[in-house]
Amino acid sequence: MRRLRRLAHLVLFCPFSKGLQGRLPGLRVRCIFLAWLGVFAGSWLVYVHYSSYSERCRGHVCQVVICDQYRKGIISGSVCQDLCELHMVEWRTCLSVAPGQQVYSGLWRDKDVTIKCGIEETLDSKARSDAAPRRELVLFDKPTRGTSIKEFREMTLSFLKANLGDLPSLPALVGQVLLMADFNKDNRVSLAEAKSVWALLQRNEFLLLLSLQEKEHASRLLGYCGDLYLTEGVPHGAWHAAALPPLLRPLLPPALQGALQQWLGPAWPWRAKIAIGLLEFVEELFHGSYGTFYMCETTLANVGYTATYDFKMADLQQVAPEATVRRFLQGRRCEHSADCTYGRDCRAPCDRLMRQCKGDLIQPNLAKVCALLRGYLLPGAPADLREELGTQLRTCTTLSGLASQVEAHHSLVLSHLKTLLWKKISNTKYS
């Protein structure tokens, strides 16, 4: 009824001059059409937004499933009691971008946290009441009853070798996994503890968090229950998208989003400090303790920072171990390089004679990050720095992914960039 009243108001008060009285019916029809078009477009946007939200944001489903498994004694973990019995984990804003990976900001023991949980098995539109038992059988199926701690250690080591490569540091990482599994410090790993930590290892981001725990630019892992885990609070985004109404964000062209990033985002010296942290993160991924990692979705959406403008990687979902990417590319049939793409932008060349993907990526992490920084740092850069900064970033983006070239130029180019930026902000409040 309200919409009809508004429509009638528009029709009755459409401005017509006396000379247009003869065309009054036609103009009124046009007004009615435009009014209905506006109502339809607005209703459609609201429907799309909220239907998408209901699909993406199902934290309540995740909590119900996890707590069901916990009460049955199938899983355990350091936050299970707080989550399922004491209700001390507060779910706040939904940050999920896909239904299968639930991400929420939250509060736990007076600390801001990020809550992450996968619910692929429960999101089928034809899901029945047996959704939770299916999850129990599919996800929490290993290790089986009767598995010894020695067998579980070997099982974990084999898994890490397959995903990170055969590295001499892996036994130490296995030790960390077992220590994490024994969250109650009773010097034994129960079946529920083993099932939980095994399920966590299947989550790509958790494996990356575990491998990068000693690195300052990855979020710190705080606790878990089954395959639900908590990390440090959500870092600030690269630009304040939250300042825009959710319905407007998908409608903005990339150029306008870039302009808003400069207007609403941090001042240039703070952006320089964030960029230095991002370059340090690239260093951490290159030949770290647990091998080399590739950034396979290099976008500003993954560039986060703390309240003091220290860089934090906002999402590790698209960071992949070198061994995983090489296994994906090995023997893969292709017609062109687009067929040799892991994730969004980890692309290898295609050998058209053999019709198989090659093993080296076309662009290393540093080249992709420098391409990103050209749009992030050059606008608003100090005049005395802009030309040299632009030159160094252009040089950086031409780096090849071939191992020989990366080894020769990677560290040198990265060091020059960091030095250039530090010189500009050192001995100021921004450093």
Side-chain angles (χ1 to χ4, degrees):
M1 287 300 294
R2 285 184 178 178
R3 287 180 181 173
L4 288 174
R5 287 173 186 166
R6 289 176 184 170
L7 193 58
H9 184 273
L10 284 170
V11 173
L12 291 172
F13 293 95
C14 275
F16 302 112
S17 65
K18 293 182 178 179
L20 296 176
Q21 293 297 323
R23 293 193 293 165
L24 185 61
L27 289 173
R28 280 191 172 169
V29 167
R30 186 177 299 176
C31 276
I32 292 172
F33 173 75
L34 291 174
W36 271 115
L37 186 63
V39 169
F40 173 78
S43 302
W44 181 79
L45 283 172
V46 170
Y47 169 76
V48 167
H49 171 68
Y50 284 105
S51 62
S52 171
Y53 182 89
S54 63
E55 277 295 312
R56 289 183 292 107
C57 301
R58 299 199 175 184
H60 62 288
V61 176
C62 189
Q63 183 168 358
V64 166
V65 172
I66 286 291
C67 291
D68 176 66
Q69 305 301 297
Y70 168 65
R71 292 185 184 106
K72 290 178 179 177
I74 295 166
I75 61 173
S76 65
S78 54
V79 300
C80 286
Q81 187 177 30
D82 287 351
L83 177 70
C84 303
E85 295 177 2
L86 303 178
H87 305 291
M88 291 174 60
V89 179
E90 180 183 338
W91 300 64
R92 289 185 169 177
T93 307
C94 173
L95 306 170
S96 309
V97 295
Q101 178 68 16
Q102 294 296 296
V103 183
Y104 279 76
S105 65
L107 190 68
W108 177 57
R109 296 185 179 179
D110 299 322
K111 288 183 288 192
D112 289 323
V113 296
T114 303
I115 307 167
K116 299 191 177 184
C117 175
I119 55 172
E120 293 89 344
E121 291 298 320
T122 62
L123 284 178
D124 188 347
S125 60
K126 299 180 181 178
R128 306 182 301 272
S129 59
D130 65 346
R134 281 179 60 227
R135 182 177 173 81
E136 170 189 333
L137 292 172
V138 175
L139 180 60
F140 303 115
D141 59 340
K142 292 180 182 178
T144 55
R145 188 172 298 279
T147 302
S148 68
I149 188 65
K150 181 180 178 181
E151 290 170 330
F152 182 59
R153 183 187 293 271
E154 291 172 353
M155 176 179 163
T156 304
L157 181 60
S158 297
F159 175 82
L160 294 176
K161 281 182 179 178
N163 286 275
L164 300 177
D166 191 358
L167 304 168
S169 56
L170 288 188
L173 189 58
V174 173
Q176 287 186 43
V177 171
L178 295 178
L179 282 173
M180 182 181 300
D182 182 24
F183 73 93
N184 55 8
K185 310 301 179 190
D186 62 355
N187 295 318
R188 56 183 291 273
V189 177
S190 67
L191 183 61
E193 289 171 338
K195 281 179 179 287
S196 297
V197 80
W198 181 259
L200 283 168
L201 287 173
Q202 312 311 306
R203 303 283 174 200
N204 179 65
E205 188 183 35
F206 180 85
L207 181 60
L208 269 292
L209 282 172
L210 192 64
S211 305
L212 299 171
Q213 274 299 286
E214 298 175 1
K215 310 300 182 184
E216 64 174 303
H217 300 301
S219 295
R220 193 163 57 90
L221 187 65
L222 300 177
Y224 67 93
C225 180
D227 70 328
L228 176 149
Y229 57 98
L230 274 55
T231 65
E232 290 176 313
V234 181
H236 298 280
W239 68 291
H240 298 286
L244 296 171
L247 293 177
L248 292 181
R249 292 173 209 163
L251 305 178
L252 295 178
L256 182 55
Q257 290 191 22
L260 285 172
Q261 171 201 315
Q262 305 303 327
W263 184 43
L264 298 174
W268 187 88
W270 290 129
R271 296 206 305 272
K273 184 179 180 183
I274 295 165
I276 290 168
L278 177 55
L279 292 170
E280 289 173 348
F281 181 69
V282 171
E283 282 184 297
E284 292 169 356
L285 296 182
F286 188 64
H287 290 333
S289 303
Y290 302 112
T292 296
F293 297 88
Y294 294 133
M295 299 171 69
C296 294
E297 186 173 353
T298 317
T299 66
L300 282 178
N302 292 331
V303 178
Y305 54 89
T306 66
T308 55
Y309 297 93
D310 293 311
F311 169 78
K312 284 282 185 183
M313 191 67 179
D315 185 10
L316 288 171
Q317 284 289 336
Q318 297 300 325
V319 177
E322 180 183 30
T324 301
V325 176
R326 287 191 178 277
R327 186 170 63 247
F328 171 83
L329 294 172
Q330 188 175 12
R332 189 174 185 84
R333 303 287 292 174
C334 64
E335 295 293 333
H336 40 74
S337 61
D339 299 326
C340 303
T341 306
Y342 181 93
R344 178 173 172 173
D345 54 22
C346 281
R347 182 172 296 182
C350 174
D351 187 331
R352 296 193 177 183
L353 184 63
M354 301 294 294
R355 293 193 174 180
Q356 284 191 346
C357 298
K358 296 181 179 179
D360 290 320
L361 298 185
I362 294 173
Q363 277 190 307
N365 291 333
L366 183 58
K368 292 187 287 188
V369 164
C370 286
L372 188 70
L373 291 180
R374 288 179 71 177
Y376 189 62
L377 285 180
L378 290 179
D384 60 339
L385 181 73
R386 190 178 297 119
E387 183 177 352
E388 186 179 358
L389 179 60
T391 301
Q392 289 205 25
L393 288 173
R394 280 194 300 273
T395 301
C396 176
T397 56
T398 61
L399 283 173
S400 164
L402 296 174
S404 58
Q405 291 194 32
V406 171
E407 292 289 349
H409 301 295
H410 185 108
S411 297
L412 186 62
V413 171
L414 195 149
S415 178
H416 282 171
L417 265 173
K418 283 174 56 182
T419 301
L420 183 66
L421 294 172
W422 266 124
K423 278 183 178 179
K424 197 63 184 175
I425 66 170
S426 60
N427 300 320
T428 70
K429 65 177 182 178
Y430 301 104
S431 61

